Amino acid sequence: MAANWILQEGVKMDDATASEVAKIACALKSLSAYTSMAMESEDAPEDLQAIVDEGLEAMARIFVW
């Protein structure tokens, strides 16, 4: 199976680990979309958006989006 992710320049990670971390990155992106929609209807606390944003920033340091 071909990898659907690209590591940022300078990031060193074996393929198996990168594949597992990429799953987390995908989950964070999905959570981000959900949180954005929930914030529009005020169903989610503001700190949830901050937590999700921090996770996405961390993943952006590892993967090329």
Side-chain angles (χ1 to χ4, degrees), residues 46-64:
E46 289 183 28
D47 58 336
L48 177 59
Q49 184 67 50
I51 292 167
V52 171
D53 289 344
E54 287 177 16
L56 288 173
E57 289 171 11
M59 289 296 119
R61 289 190 295 270
I62 297 172
F63 296 104
V64 175

Side-chain angles (χ1 to χ4, degrees), residues 10 18 24 44:
I24 296 167

Side-chain angles (χ1 to χ4, degrees), residues 26-52:
C26 289
L28 278 170
K29 284 185 124 181
S30 296
L31 181 58
S32 176
Y34 168 79
T35 302
S36 294
M37 289 186 289
M39 292 297 288
E40 289 175 8
S41 64
E42 299 182 24
D43 290 342
E46 289 183 28
D47 58 336
L48 177 59
Q49 184 67 50
I51 292 167
V52 171

